[in-house]
Amino acid sequence: MSQQTDVFAGRGAHGVRPPLSTAERIGSVVWYQVVVYKRTWRGTIISRFVSPLFFLLSMGIGLGSLVDARSGGVGGVPYLQYLVPAIVAVQAMWVSIGESTYAVLGNLMWDRMYQTMLGTPLRVRDVLAGHISAVVGHIAMASVIFVAVAAAFGGFSSWGAVWCVPVAVLTGLAFTVPVFAFTATQESDSGFNILFRLVVTPLMLFSGTFFPVESLPVWLQPIAWVTPLWHGVEASRAVALGTVDPPWLALHLSVLVAFVVVGWVLAVRLFTRRLVK
Amino acid sequence: MSEGTADDVLLEARGLTKMFGSFTAVENVDFAVQRGELFGFLGPNGAGKSSTMRMIGAVSPATSGTLRVFGLDPAADGPRIRARLGVVPQEDQLDQELTVQENLWVYGRYFGLSRAQVKERTAGLLEFAQLSERAKDRVEPLSGGMKRRLTIARSLISSPELLLLDEPTTGLDPQARHLLWDRLFRLKRQGVTIILTTHYMDEAEQLCDRLVVMDHGRIVAEGSPRSLIEQYSTREVLELRFDAHDHAEYAGKLAGIGERVEVLPDRLLVYTEDGDAAAAAVHSRGLAPLSSLVRRSTLEDVFLHLTGRTLVD
Ligand SMILES: Nc1ncnc2c1ncn2[C@@H]1O[C@H](COP(=O)(O)OP(=O)(O)OP(=O)(O)O)[C@@H](O)[C@H]1O
Ligand SMILES: [Mg+2]
């Protein structure tokens, strides 16, 4: 077949291809993740779209009617509109952690796709940046859909809601990148249970999602301040409700960026240690 | 033998050493591969073949020594080196959830090939791997040999100048093995340099222009298959099987016949220039082997002599 001779003709005579640009390197890894997602998206529907919707209905609308009737909302804001921007941030955390644990360990240990990539011109940081970019895509997609659905239920009072999406992406990254680093240290998936029980669930409960942190016992409040979720929730709420206080917003975003930067340095180091032997 | 000048040296290792913690997997090895050569690493399990291949493939940093691939240092220019390599690792690393063709498409993109280029090449490569009918099937249910062939096809998607094959034919049936040999010769004729490791002596003998025998992380011999056989073995081998639990007890009775006797669990090997004469001598001593066979020396005999082990897994 001519097709076949074509494949073997001139092999090695192609000369040296120009080096790939950073965008091409990262893009090739993102493309792999897109191909994978085309095959797995059905399995993510429940955790990604149905769970947040249940929260919206039960807490926002169910509990919300009680709160609004008793105390006129939280600080004058209807409970649903108080809660929804926070759920956007919480969902970003969920998606991030869902995409940075089993999938990453699988690529490290089970199908060894990272090792495969590192046999090509890609470098450790390309592989990481590519996979993390794909996770950003997941977070953005989930956030956009949830914001649209919540808006239909009256969860937002202004167009500030659209700003919830970039805030959610940053919040998600503040989890994704450090959790990638954490996963690089794991030899099995048993560590993830600890992560879910000790980090994800307590953070959701104590980061000012359902009620202001100030309602917590004083000794618990500082915990919220050092976790990314509280900063994400506060920033998301401020942009959605139009109550932005620039220095505070800058502080929240800076903390989130700090998590991303420190996580990145750790992740590159730990992935290199794990993969380059 | 290639009569290359220094310019034709595609790959050169000097004093190359790889340690894992305090364990030395590859110790102070020297070798050079010429452009266009088909070069082999032969050695028992744990000899350090894969560790060496991984250093050449610029995925595993050397502990000490110098290594130059295309004249480049893997420690500094890993991506530039890897862009010109095709790699078949010892263990298949395929995405089992994706289809056969998706595995190729995705992989080609890592080399900067466009989607169109990748798709165009895939058809021919699948033909080569005899996987055309399985193109749209998931990888997971494929047989081991099919996955191996897919990994080999994948390594070719970027038109590599240098192909690194770590036990490429393990798990392939004889027909697929011979087909691969044929394709490797074709690639070689087109100027592709090929380095492979293998456990199959016939493979090494048929394919390799030159090979090194590794044992315990060191290179114990180097040369063409022919020259290795001439250097480390005799022209013929007489294989004797006796009705005995321990063949060692018969070794003494053969003293003086042939140049050397190797004792294997199930048989004795008498190394000699003239197998029939040696067989006659055995019978004239009143020894009655269950079976007696004269054959030419192979790399297997070289290997046995050098490492004291057979390579049959
Ligand atoms: N990542 C690693 N960490 C620790 N030891 C290793 C590592 N990789 C290889 N080794 C050790 O180095 C030695 C050489 O291994 P290598 O895989 O290079 O051998 P090989 O010649 O390819 O063997 P085989 O024929 O079984 O594939 C072995 O003793 C192995 O246990
Ligand atoms: Mg090996």
Side-chain angles (χ1 to χ4, degrees):
Chain A
M1 282 189 69
S2 63
Q3 190 75 314
Q4 188 178 338
T5 32
D6 183 42
V7 163
F8 289 94
R11 185 168 302 274
H14 283 234
V16 181
R17 237 177 252 116
L20 279 70
S21 67
T22 304
E24 282 176 310
R25 293 165 184 278
I26 295 175
S28 71
V29 179
V30 172
W31 198 62
Y32 164 65
Q33 295 294 342
V34 169
V35 175
V36 169
Y37 191 60
K38 272 192 210 155
R39 207 151 282 277
T40 56
W41 64 273
R42 285 175 198 85
T44 65
I45 295 280
I46 298 231
S47 66
R48 204 156 287 179
F49 307 117
V50 181
S51 301
L53 200 62
F54 284 175
F55 265 95
L56 185 86
L57 295 175
S58 72
M59 308 295 278
I61 297 175
L63 183 64
S65 60
L66 195 69
V67 174
D68 293 344
R70 290 283 168 91
S71 55
V74 183
V77 178
Y79 190 69
L80 181 66
Q81 291 175 8
Y82 175 83
L83 183 68
V84 159
I87 299 281
V88 179
V90 168
Q91 189 199 28
M93 172 178 78
W94 282 341
V95 172
S96 298
I97 293 188
E99 293 296 323
S100 321
T101 46
Y102 294 96
V104 173
L105 197 65
N107 286 166
L108 274 171
M109 289 182 70
W110 301 320
D111 57 30
R112 297 166 64 84
M113 276 301 120
Y114 292 144
Q115 284 87 340
T116 297
M117 293 174 188
L118 293 178
T120 73
L122 302 181
R123 302 159 301 180
V124 170
R125 53 187 188 277
D126 302 321
V127 169
L128 264 176
H131 198 165
I132 290 170
S133 303
V135 177
V136 164
H138 286 292
I139 301 167
M141 197 163 55
S143 302
V144 165
I145 293 176
F146 181 71
V147 165
V149 171
F153 279 94
F156 293 104
S157 54
S158 78
W159 280 101
V162 296
W163 287 104
C164 287
V165 174
V167 170
V169 166
L170 182 59
T171 307
L173 267 176
F175 283 97
T176 303
V177 185
V179 173
F180 263 67
F182 168 77
T183 301
T185 65
Q186 298 299 297
E187 292 297 334
S188 78
D189 58 6
S190 56
F192 298 151
N193 273 327
I194 299 175
L195 184 69
F196 297 137
R197 297 215 178 118
L198 256 51
V199 180
V200 178
T201 308
L203 282 194
M204 184 178 77
L205 297 174
F206 300 118
S207 294
T209 317
F210 302 110
F211 51 85
V213 170
E214 291 73 33
S215 316
L216 284 172
V218 177
W219 58 271
L220 265 179
Q221 293 181 17
I223 297 181
W225 302 338
V226 297
T227 63
L229 187 59
W230 179 68
H231 294 279
V233 164
E234 289 295 307
S236 184
R237 199 169 270 149
V239 296
L241 297 176
T243 55
V244 171
D245 182 3
W248 272 106
L249 184 64
L251 173 73
H252 295 316
L253 299 182
S254 307
V255 171
L256 295 174
V257 168
F259 270 93
V260 176
V261 171
V262 173
W264 175 257
V265 172
L266 279 175
V268 170
R269 191 165 301 172
L270 292 168
F271 267 71
T272 304
R273 188 193 295 170
R274 178 90 181 241
L275 292 167
V276 182
K277 285 184 179 157
Chain B
M1 292 256 28
S2 50
E3 335 156 302
T5 61
D7 293 348
D8 289 313
V9 174
L10 200 69
L11 176 89
E12 189 170 23
R14 249 180 285 128
L16 189 63
T17 298
K18 179 73 197 185
M19 298 183 71
F20 295 104
S22 61
F23 176 78
T24 308
V26 178
E27 191 169 354
N28 203 19
V29 300
D30 300 294
F31 55 88
V33 179
Q34 308 281 317
R35 184 177 288 279
E37 227 178 352
L38 216 160
F39 186 87
F41 285 97
L42 204 57
N45 292 135
K49 305 180 297 293
S50 297
S51 303
T52 307
M53 292 290 261
R54 289 167 43 76
M55 287 190 278
I56 299 170
V59 292
S60 168
T63 308
S64 62
T66 55
L67 178 62
R68 292 289 176 273
V69 186
F70 309 118
L72 302 170
D73 178 0
D77 280 315
R80 279 172 69 194
I81 292 172
R82 295 195 299 267
R84 297 160 69 179
L85 296 180
V87 180
V88 174
Q90 183 166 356
E91 309 282 341
D92 291 324
Q93 293 162 0
L94 297 162
D95 191 315
Q96 312 269 340
E97 297 302 319
L98 300 188
T99 64
V100 166
Q101 64 185 11
E102 284 170 337
N103 266 277
L104 293 183
W105 294 347
V106 160
Y107 194 75
R109 302 279 285 156
Y110 302 148
F111 289 85
L113 300 179
S114 70
R115 276 204 232 184
Q117 284 171 315
V118 161
K119 291 195 173 172
E120 184 195 309
R121 303 186 65 80
T122 296
L125 288 170
L126 289 181
E127 183 105 355
F128 154 72
Q130 297 180 298
L131 287 169
S132 302
E133 304 86 71
R134 308 301 294 264
K136 294 189 171 71
D137 293 352
R138 271 174 64 240
V139 167
E140 203 260 325
L142 297 188
S143 77
M146 290 174 177
K147 288 179 190 171
R148 199 70 189 139
R149 281 167 7 215
L150 177 57
T151 303
I152 294 166
R154 189 179 72 175
S155 74
L156 294 171
I157 201 153
S158 61
S159 315
E161 280 173 73
L162 172 61
L163 200 52
L164 302 178
L165 308 163
D166 197 350
E167 297 188 23
T169 59
T170 301
L172 295 191
D173 62 29
Q175 193 249 348
R177 266 178 85 201
H178 286 280
L179 184 76
L180 180 67
W181 292 4
D182 173 60
R183 294 313 154 108
L184 292 183
F185 279 126
R186 277 174 62 181
L187 290 173
K188 181 174 142 63
R189 245 181 282 128
Q190 279 149 13
V192 180
T193 309
I194 301 171
I195 302 179
L196 57 82
T197 75
T198 181
H199 282 171
Y200 298 112
M201 290 297 163
D202 55 339
E203 187 161 289
E205 215 163 311
Q206 298 251 354
L207 286 179
C208 296
D209 298 317
R210 219 151 49 81
L211 55 93
V212 292
V213 179
M214 281 188 91
D215 194 23
H216 296 301
R218 295 199 201 91
I219 290 179
V220 293
E222 193 221 300
S224 68
R226 197 88 305 258
S227 71
L228 285 170
I229 292 169
E230 278 164 18
Q231 194 176 347
Y232 294 102
S233 192
T234 52
R235 208 169 70 84
E236 293 188 331
V237 185
L238 171 63
E239 294 202 6
L240 298 170
R241 215 177 288 269
F242 288 99
D243 185 15
H245 270 301
D246 184 5
H247 276 78
E249 62 194 50
Y250 277 90
K253 299 181 184 168
L254 297 177
I257 301 176
E259 291 178 16
R260 190 160 55 82
V261 176
E262 291 277 358
V263 182
L264 298 184
D266 62 334
R267 69 209 137 112
L268 290 169
L269 304 179
V270 180
Y271 288 91
T272 174
E273 288 305 308
D274 185 344
D276 290 327
V282 169
H283 285 282
S284 72
R285 289 191 186 181
L287 300 171
L290 293 177
S291 73
S292 147
L293 168 85
V294 176
R295 60 167 174 82
R296 292 170 61 86
S297 270
T298 67
L299 276 179
E300 185 82 50
D301 301 297
V302 173
F303 194 81
L304 182 64
H305 181 56
L306 288 170
T307 68
R309 263 165 294 175
T310 49
L311 249 190
V312 183
D313 308 297

